[in-house]
Amino acid sequence: MQANKQQQKAIEWNTGPALILAGPGSGKTFTTVERVKYLIEVHHADPSHILVITFTKAAARQMRERFLKRMGGQPCPVSFGTFHAVFLHILKISRGYSAGSILREKEKREYLRTALSGLKGDFPMEREWEDSLLAQIGYVKNLGRLPENDLDCGMPKGQFARIFVEFQRLLHDAGKLDLDDFAAAVCHLLCTDPAELKRWKEQFSYILVDEFQDVNAAQYEAVRLLAGTSRNLFAVGDDDQAIYGFRGSDPTIMQRFVQDFPEAARIELSVNYRSKRGIVECAGRLVGANRERFPKKIRAAQDGKEDGVNSDADAVRHSGADAVRHSEADAVRKAAKALFGKKEETFEGGVWKSLAPDQSVWAGSFPDKKQEAKALVRMIKEMQAQGGKTETTAAIFRTNSDAVWLAAALEQEKIPFVMREKAKNPYDHPVCRDLLAYLRFSKSDRSRGQFLQIMNRPCRYLARQRVPAGQVDFTALKEAYRDKPYMQEILARMQTDIMRIGRMDLYAAVNYVRKGIGYDNWLCREKSGKALEEAKAAADFLQESVREFRSMEQMEEHLEAYARALEKGGKETQGEEAGRKTADTGQEAAGSEQKEAGSEQKAAGAGQDSGTIPVELITMHGSKGLEYDVVFLPGCCEGTVPHKKSASGRELEEERRMFYVGMTRAKKRLFLTWERGTKEAPGFASRFLYECGYREP
């Protein structure tokens, strides 16, 4: 394999700092591996003094294996590891920490509850609220600063800072470290102990960082200190793929790198070997709307002859390349005609428009989510029937909950699929359970269990012991409260409400429970801050979900299908979040890797009986670093992408980068779809579609 000019320039950079801007499919892993080989063979660098840092164990393992293969399979003591693994290694040797010093998830919650119990305040002891608070604590740690100014935590001024300080004090006293503490602990070590700083700077004479756009402030400071005066820091990343702002990552750190290392080389890997030209151009138009970025000119390899052939997934062979391109183009055109009809405008209720001359990008709109899911399933079946059983296919969503409709539709049609990230059932949220209980009780199921779920939501002061067993009858209930006339009035009003709900369509029924009966007002009294926001979001989710069903029976079928679909959901195997759960050390890391391997086998084997590669359902975050022949991006509506809470400023730019990541996973075909909605509740195409070149048909 041969490097192109840009890759070769990066590989042969002499010494000192270098910033490698590596676009999607540009061969960044290949370039990094070849750079390490070059340092050893040409610069005669001691392999034991070379450190390569990645974000996931899978990435570190893959890079190590590729490097050893390039070295002829001979042992070579180059260090490959995640940030967590590298930092823990330093802390083990310099400060005596061990794997037992790492705070486990269960322990984290226990320490948080202890911290709250030691402070004055009325804190809600709810898991959702705990999750939100722990996420905020982790976010502050990754920023590399103390919370002098409170974040938007829905708390009185100063309260979060008090919780944070008490939580950290308890960890310190117990000799425990949260994963998010590693970087700060290393920074403190290197800044306060000159001997240890000298020791580790000599140990790691050459540092190469993969996915540099994802580093947070604390990680960057630790790496900058380790690089020291030698400044042999080789940073590889793409600020257009920086999508982990929620954990403190900041793409402007790449700008800081240029300021901190003004002598640094800046080399752009601008040839995309993964995607067809239309996909590259549409994605480029989209991300070009961001302001805080390095300007780039990414082009597809097929745009012109290249002196190199290397990408991370495949080597593009010059021999027969034109014939391959023509055959692929013909296949796409045939597929389009088969899928969309002679005019290539309509298919399964969708209105489609091509966004690229090579037919590689299509945008389509549908009346609702149900029709959208049905059409995508039909398209997948059509493509598989045309010989696409060996093609890899993915549907990429903003969040796991957005996969509801497609997962259920795939399950009903018996199409093999796997969810790469473990998804929670959004219908299991307590608010959704409440609202579903109202629907079931009013329309079909008058059981005692359903009544107990709703009787005091909102509060009616009804007692469980007065509710008879079996089917609930309001006449019998009133009789049970014959000694309390005012309770009989409450029950009469409830009976009237239930009768009204029973006559309404599902959407109107949920709305009546929330507004007419006062469920939303009850939530506002019972919850606050993030917990209240999440509760209202769950209510909104259910209300939008029921819009698609004409009867409770259809709704129940959907719920059952989706529950079955989730049973097939796999463990996280590739996403960045997997790396946050455990440190890449010791037996625990080995066990985690075995689980990852088992999950990958499950995904690969799910479609063996049919000979079809399973469709993968994955989030935009989880899709980072992956690629597929065919990619669907459903739900491209305003309010979803970009999310309604991230419609401006830096948050909007990160939403745009997430969409860019999703688009650039596609190799051959990319389908972008959205829901038009109804006159009463219209949907609107995402602004991102228009930035890609979409115009209303």
Side-chain angles (χ1 to χ4, degrees), residues 671-692:
F671 299 96
L672 312 170
T673 59
W674 63 284
E675 306 87 46
R676 299 188 296 274
T678 63
K679 289 183 179 179
E680 296 76 20
F684 301 95
S686 168
R687 71 191 72 181
F688 296 160
L689 293 186
Y690 293 99
E691 291 169 359
C692 289

Side-chain angles (χ1 to χ4, degrees), residues 438-564:
Y438 264 106
L439 294 178
R440 287 165 175 153
F441 187 81
S442 65
K443 295 181 179 296
S444 57
D445 184 359
R446 294 293 179 93
S447 66
R448 185 174 188 269
Q450 298 294 350
F451 185 79
L452 293 177
Q453 180 81 26
I454 66 174
M455 68 179 187
N456 286 318
R457 289 176 169 85
C459 189
R460 299 183 178 93
Y461 308 101
L462 296 170
R464 295 174 65 93
Q465 59 270 27
R466 297 205 185 201
V467 181
Q471 295 295 103
V472 173
D473 178 78
F474 277 98
T475 302
L477 270 175
K478 292 174 186 176
E479 179 63 22
Y481 278 97
R482 62 182 180 274
D483 58 329
K484 297 181 183 292
Y486 67 93
M487 294 301 296
Q488 292 187 8
E489 293 179 8
I490 290 174
L491 285 168
R493 189 158 55 248
M494 186 180 185
Q495 183 179 16
T496 300
D497 288 333
I498 293 298
M499 291 175 63
R500 287 177 179 172
I501 294 171
R503 295 192 293 267
M504 297 176 179
D505 64 65
L506 298 181
Y507 182 89
V510 174
N511 191 63
Y512 185 83
V513 174
R514 297 181 66 184
K515 310 300 183 183
I517 293 179
Y519 185 86
D520 280 10
N521 290 336
W522 175 77
L523 282 178
C524 291
R525 293 192 299 270
E526 294 292 315
K527 302 180 182 294
S528 62
K530 294 288 184 182
L532 178 59
E533 290 181 15
E534 291 173 0
K536 287 186 175 181
D540 290 343
F541 163 76
L542 184 71
Q543 191 166 354
E544 286 301 312
S545 295
V546 302
R547 186 193 296 276
E548 314 301 331
F549 304 102
R550 293 186 298 274
S551 67
M552 197 63 205
E553 289 74 19
Q554 284 187 336
M555 180 72 186
E556 295 289 8
E557 289 177 4
H558 168 75
L559 294 174
E560 291 175 7
Y562 186 57
R564 290 195 302 270

Side-chain angles (χ1 to χ4, degrees), residues 55-62 82 244 400 418-423 568-582 589 591-605 615-619 621-628:
F55 271 85
T56 67
K57 292 179 288 205
R61 186 169 59 249
Q62 180 194 44
T82 65
Y244 293 101
N400 277 324
V418 64
M419 300 182 74
R420 291 192 65 104
E421 299 161 278
K422 186 67 176 178
K568 296 186 175 184
K571 183 179 172 65
E572 296 165 312
T573 60
Q574 295 284 347
E576 298 288 344
E577 294 307 292
R580 291 172 53 83
K581 303 242 176 113
T582 59
S592 178
E593 288 182 2
Q594 289 173 0
K595 290 179 181 178
E596 287 181 2
S599 190
E600 289 172 353
Q601 291 172 1
K602 178 182 178 182
V615 179
E616 294 194 10
L617 308 187
I618 193 168
T619 64
H621 281 112
S623 72
K624 183 81 171 295
L626 305 178
E627 62 180 39
Y628 306 89

